[in-house]
Amino acid sequence: MKNTALQRPQPVRWDHGTLYLLDQTRLPLETVIDPYTTVEQVWDAIRRLKVRGAPAIGIAGAYGLVLAMRSQQHLTHEDFLAQLDTQAAYLDSARPTAVNLHWALQRLLRQARQLHQQPVPEIYQALEQTAIQIHAEDRQLCRRIGDHGRPLIKTGMGILTHCNAGALATAELGTALAPLYLAHEAGVSFRVYADETRPLLQGARLTTWELQQAGIDVTLICDNMAATLMAQDCIDMVIVGTDRVAANGDVANKIGTLGVAILAQYFQIPFYVACPLLHHRLRHPSGEAIVIEERAQDEVTHLGQRRTAPVGMAVRNPAFDVTPHTLVGADHRARNLAASYGETLRAGLWPRSSRR
Ligand code: MRU
């Protein structure tokens, strides 16, 4: 079965002023789409990962800010802008690592300040239009990443991905999964290995689900199986998304990505990071400065409702890690030439034929 847009899930939808989010915490067992009408509901959905993935939380956050301001149109300019700042800071606090949430909210704030001479209801209308535009732009960015990365995908390849950087994480095609969708549409046959991605299982629950729906050959593995599959020559390339890129090309992505990158280096397998240049303001000089979200302990001590660790156990639960730019790229022999992140998808494929 060939992949079509109809078979790709839509995590965020804005319909006549109502926000609809596909509840990703209930996938793959249930497909539930809920309406959202308040900023508090949107904050909670982002925090709980009902909507997740860097681009999707940026889009949802933008719509959340619009929802927050709908009932504030009677305010004076000054009060409207002050309230906008407060609500944006509130939404921004939902998750700290992904650049997109902060970026989208800041874009709306800048726009409102630029329009400060317009009547408040017109500023509100403009904010809504910009949120819709952020959503549409992400769709285009994903397609461009897909077009850019598609030639990397060759028949017979085994491709490892970590977490979910697919349609569920973006406006449509995904970042890391976009080249795979387009290659599949073009008739290229390949196999995706999806890391399950502990502790919240985005790979097991989401990546497998959306690729299976699209008819793409996907095999689920536990995170600790990646090394063995690489040693068995099953993996020809790794492709992941990113939540934030530092100015030196270090990339923050879902916890576990660093381990995969180190393995890829050891086994000399190309390691690609799929991301839009546009979104990343490169505010941090290196990955060390990126704020890593630390999440609740019960995500590690429990599997679903079931406790899997002793009561009182000390736990760490960083949601992301940072992969140094030196591990990103196609030619590991040239690693010290520092493949900048802008080159990650432009870099040529590691020059060897498929080993399978
Ligand atoms: O915690 P999550 O599920 O929001 O983490 C998502 C990721 O780490 C993705 O890989 C990243 O956002 C890139 S998405 C296109």
Side-chain angles (χ1 to χ4, degrees), residues 52-55 95 163-165 170 175 202 241-243 253-254 320:
R52 34 75 41 209
R95 295 194 76 190
C163 193
N164 173 266
T170 62
T175 53
Q202 287 92 330
T242 178
D243 286 77
N253 193 48
K254 177 53 55 192
F320 300 93

Side-chain angles (χ1 to χ4, degrees), residues 5-335:
L6 282 179
Q7 290 159 305
R8 279 192 286 273
Q10 209 182 351
V12 183
R13 188 160 59 87
W14 182 254
D15 193 358
H16 296 94
T18 302
L19 175 63
Y20 294 89
L21 298 177
L22 172 59
D23 184 348
Q24 299 192 32
T25 62
R26 297 170 78 163
L27 289 172
L29 298 180
E30 294 173 294
T31 308
V32 177
I33 297 169
D34 295 312
Y36 286 76
T37 52
T38 72
V39 64
E40 290 81 10
Q41 291 170 336
V42 177
W43 186 95
D44 188 66
I46 294 172
R47 183 75 183 165
R48 289 174 190 263
L49 275 59
K50 289 182 175 184
V51 60
R52 34 75 41 209
I57 65 176
I59 297 162
Y63 287 132
L65 191 54
V66 172
L67 290 176
M69 300 314 292
R70 182 177 290 157
S71 59
Q72 310 294 313
Q73 295 177 63
H74 61 282
L75 295 176
T76 63
H77 276 96
E78 201 181 329
D79 290 349
F80 185 84
L81 292 182
Q83 188 57 229
L84 191 67
D85 277 341
T86 305
Q87 297 296 345
Y90 167 62
L91 278 163
D92 209 2
S93 71
R95 295 194 76 190
T97 303
V99 70
N100 306 62
L101 180 58
H102 183 73
W103 171 85
L105 296 168
Q106 289 301 315
R107 180 166 163 184
L108 293 178
L109 293 186
R110 272 197 310 278
Q111 182 188 33
R113 284 193 203 102
Q114 279 161 9
L115 296 177
H116 69 278
Q117 285 173 335
Q118 308 282 332
V120 166
E122 285 183 23
I123 301 177
Y124 170 79
Q125 292 296 332
L127 292 175
E128 180 178 1
Q129 285 314 309
T130 301
I132 292 169
Q133 198 177 329
I134 288 170
H135 197 169
E137 283 172 7
D138 188 66
R139 200 169 288 126
Q140 289 161 11
L141 282 169
C142 289
R143 185 149 293 267
R144 284 170 57 193
I145 291 171
D147 286 338
H148 199 58
R150 195 188 67 71
L152 298 173
I153 316 299
K154 312 272 196 242
T155 291
M157 272 187 156
I159 300 162
L160 178 69
T161 191
H162 189 73
C163 193
N164 173 266
L168 285 166
T170 62
E172 195 193 355
L173 282 174
T175 53
L177 299 193
L180 310 188
Y181 278 124
L182 296 191
H184 179 68
E185 277 179 5
V188 180
S189 94
F190 53 88
R191 171 167 297 167
V192 180
Y193 291 93
D195 274 347
E196 67 174 347
T197 318
R198 279 279 289 151
L200 294 182
L201 305 178
Q202 287 92 330
R205 294 185 302 106
L206 308 177
T207 297
T208 55
W209 183 76
E210 66 166 89
L211 291 180
Q212 188 182 54
Q213 287 213 326
I216 293 179
D217 181 349
V218 55
T219 299
L220 173 64
I221 60 169
C222 298
D223 297 332
N224 51 10
M225 296 173 187
T228 292
L229 266 80
M230 288 184 183
Q232 291 173 348
D233 276 352
C234 295
I235 312 291
D236 298 290
M237 69 178 269
V238 179
I239 188 162
V240 296
T242 178
D243 286 77
R244 196 182 280 264
V245 182
N248 69 346
D250 295 349
V251 287
N253 193 48
K254 177 53 55 192
I255 191 77
T257 304
L258 172 60
V260 177
I262 292 168
L263 289 175
Q265 177 193 25
Y266 181 83
F267 288 103
Q268 303 228 315
I269 293 168
F271 181 93
Y272 292 99
V273 178
C275 63
L277 296 176
L278 187 68
H279 275 212
H280 300 287
R281 295 288 151 145
L282 311 178
R283 192 155 57 95
H284 303 298
S286 74
E288 280 173 21
I290 296 175
V291 176
I292 300 295
E293 174 183 7
E294 185 91 22
R295 291 186 62 85
Q297 297 191 354
D298 61 2
E299 291 179 354
V300 176
T301 55
H302 288 67
L303 272 179
Q305 302 301 313
R306 187 166 160 263
R307 172 172 280 282
T308 55
V311 175
M313 179 55 50
V315 171
R316 285 291 315 277
N317 187 15
F320 300 93
D321 59 27
V322 174
T323 298
H325 63 276
T326 50
L327 294 181
V328 177
D331 188 346
H332 286 289
R333 292 169 308 182
R335 192 177 319 115

